[in-house]
Amino acid sequence: MKRKILELLASSHDHFISGETISRVCGISRAAVWKHIDHLKKEGYLIEAVTKKGYRLLGNDDMLETVFFRLPKDRVIGSSHIYLEEVGSTNVEAKAAALDYPDGSVVISDSQTSGKGRLGRYWDSAKGKGIWLSLILKPRISMAEAMILTQMAGAGVCDALKTAGYEAKIKWPNDVVVQGRKVCGILAEMSGEPEQLNYVILGIGINVNQNPSDFPEELRNKAISLKMVDSEEKSRNLILDLLLERLEHYYALVKNKDTAEIIKFCRNNSATLDNQVKVIYNDKIIEGKAINLTENGGLIIEDQTGQTMEIISGEVSVRGIYGYV
Ligand code: BT5
């Protein structure tokens, strides 16, 4: 019931909504409305109460869940959501919910105690400082085509950060960087048959308001938050709102099998292309120049002998980024 009231308040934006309307819509007494509002306030929501006018939700720039209540009703991304104050990993939670939730659902949390990177690595997810979310996606594509989803997420994040004024770039395959340091990591996990996916869990972590001291020692030269770029506290709600809108746009293209725009965006905003790279591939280190992205999102590398090869996943170090000199 408390969530229903929050949803009502959030969806009426800056307008007051009377206690009477809330009590009618929710089918509870005015006293019960007051009690729930009081609980919401104790949770940290800023709610203004004015006699004869009713209640309204103020700014709440840092209450991530309110963003979902305000989304246009025709959205796929965020059509359903699960908000958790704290969780081990939103990817793990999303996997558990995947069969019961529709395409485009989002699991989001203020804090992850065991945030996951690729290949068993960790993702540092300081409480209240970033956007830690997982999308549950069910596109009708094959496993081979699913590589595009990581590029789609990279494009969505990069585009949202650029709209917010940051010079963000995509480091293939799954990082977004600002000033040569990692501001976002993406983790795609899939389930299904080679010909048809059941679902993909697409985890996205964006560092928003960390100070350097919020990161563990080994990340200090490698990671960055948006706040560290210009020393200003950022509205996580604003970044989340921009991100959900851009993901909606790019995901619709994936579903229509019309991915050229995504690849074009990734090419135009790549931190990898035209640079020397080292790739760990089949236990070998390959050095060469990153020259292009394929239509599926693979990376084409040209080695010193002029031979080209396509890499579909792996560890890529780019000269000039994260200390590769
Ligand atoms: C990734 O892996 O970059 C994928 C990260 C995905 C995180 C999201 S958050 C929501 C969702 N739920 C999860 O549990 N995960 C997803 P990888 O390319 O393997 O990079 C991992 C490496 O990045 C680590 O080994 C660290 O070196 C570094 N790292 C860890 N936390 C970081 C942070 N907050 N910012 C920048 N770098 C970080």
Side-chain angles (χ1 to χ4, degrees):
M1 186 52 67
K2 202 168 58 181
R3 300 247 87 64
K4 171 111 183 118
I5 293 175
L6 183 60
E7 188 174 342
L8 270 176
L9 290 172
S11 56
S12 52
H13 295 264
D14 292 334
H15 301 294
F16 281 95
I17 174 161
S18 70
E20 194 188 322
T21 306
I22 300 175
S23 102
R24 185 166 31 80
V25 174
C26 297
I28 54 173
S29 69
R30 296 283 294 275
V33 170
W34 184 86
K35 221 168 76 192
H36 287 302
I37 297 247
D38 198 45
H39 278 148
L40 286 169
K41 282 186 179 168
K42 285 190 180 124
E43 278 179 31
Y45 289 95
L46 297 175
I47 298 170
E48 187 181 16
V50 174
T51 327
K52 293 201 177 126
K53 279 186 163 174
Y55 303 98
R56 97 178 148 161
L57 200 58
L58 300 175
N60 290 294
D61 262 7
D62 220 39
M63 301 307 235
L64 292 175
E65 197 182 11
T66 58
V67 171
F68 291 91
F69 296 138
R70 289 176 169 155
L71 289 179
K73 296 286 174 241
D74 59 353
R75 286 279 180 92
V76 172
I77 302 294
S79 54
S80 290
H81 74 275
I82 299 173
Y83 165 77
L84 300 155
E85 220 172 283
E86 185 170 284
V87 72
S89 151
T90 55
N91 263 40
V92 171
E93 215 58 42
K95 228 176 286 171
L99 296 179
D100 299 327
Y101 276 73
D103 184 31
S105 301
V106 177
V107 179
I108 188 161
S109 183
D110 268 309
S111 163
Q112 295 188 118
T113 50
S114 332
K116 296 202 300 175
R118 295 177 304 159
L119 305 170
R121 289 188 287 246
Y122 72 101
W123 183 256
D124 186 64
S125 322
K127 186 175 174 61
K129 302 276 181 178
I131 293 171
W132 325 126
L133 63 77
S134 301
L135 307 172
I136 299 171
L137 301 179
K138 303 178 177 179
R140 293 184 170 276
I141 58 176
S142 67
M143 277 203 176
E145 291 170 310
M147 194 168 52
I148 193 70
L149 292 170
T150 301
Q151 302 308 306
M152 176 205 87
V157 172
C158 182
D159 204 355
L161 296 187
K162 281 169 71 102
T163 308
Y166 298 93
E167 286 182 32
K169 289 198 178 317
I170 302 164
K171 177 182 169 288
W172 192 92
N174 69 312
D175 294 354
V176 177
V177 298
V178 171
Q179 298 180 348
R181 293 202 257 166
K182 183 159 171 166
V183 73
C184 163
I186 295 158
L187 172 66
E189 299 182 281
M190 6 180 160
S191 149
E193 307 292 323
E195 290 312 309
Q196 173 64 56
L197 290 169
N198 288 337
Y199 60 79
V200 175
I201 304 301
L202 197 56
I204 300 177
I206 306 179
N207 301 323
V208 181
N209 280 324
Q210 290 101 327
N211 294 312
S213 59
D214 290 320
F215 288 109
E217 187 71 39
E218 77 261 20
L219 293 185
R220 303 245 164 102
N221 296 322
K222 190 177 157 189
I224 194 166
S225 69
L226 299 179
K227 183 181 174 186
M228 282 158 64
V229 176
D230 51 17
S231 309
E232 270 179 28
E233 194 86 10
K234 292 287 145 7
S235 155
R236 288 187 304 159
N237 280 21
L238 172 72
I239 303 293
L240 175 61
D241 203 28
L242 291 171
L243 174 67
L244 295 175
E245 193 281 319
R246 287 292 76 200
L247 290 173
E248 179 79 16
H249 173 72
Y250 290 117
Y251 186 49
L253 295 176
V254 170
K255 294 221 288 189
N256 287 333
K257 303 206 182 248
D258 177 15
T259 52
E261 184 186 325
I262 297 176
I263 296 299
K264 187 173 170 205
F265 184 93
C266 291
R267 283 186 185 130
N268 289 344
N269 294 281
S270 175
T272 308
L273 292 184
D274 298 330
N275 283 310
Q276 286 300 121
V277 295
K278 278 188 200 170
V279 184
I280 303 175
Y281 195 61
N282 288 343
D283 288 340
K284 279 196 293 194
I285 297 185
I286 301 162
E287 291 195 45
K289 187 175 175 188
I291 57 169
N292 207 350
L293 294 179
T294 67
E295 288 308 316
N296 295 331
L299 182 69
I300 300 185
I301 293 182
E302 186 180 75
D303 71 12
Q304 287 93 333
T305 67
Q307 257 198 328
T308 60
M309 65 183 82
E310 181 184 346
I311 314 280
I312 55 168
S313 70
E315 290 309 310
V316 177
S317 315
V318 180
R319 179 163 283 170
I321 295 186
Y322 311 159
Y324 165 44
V325 283

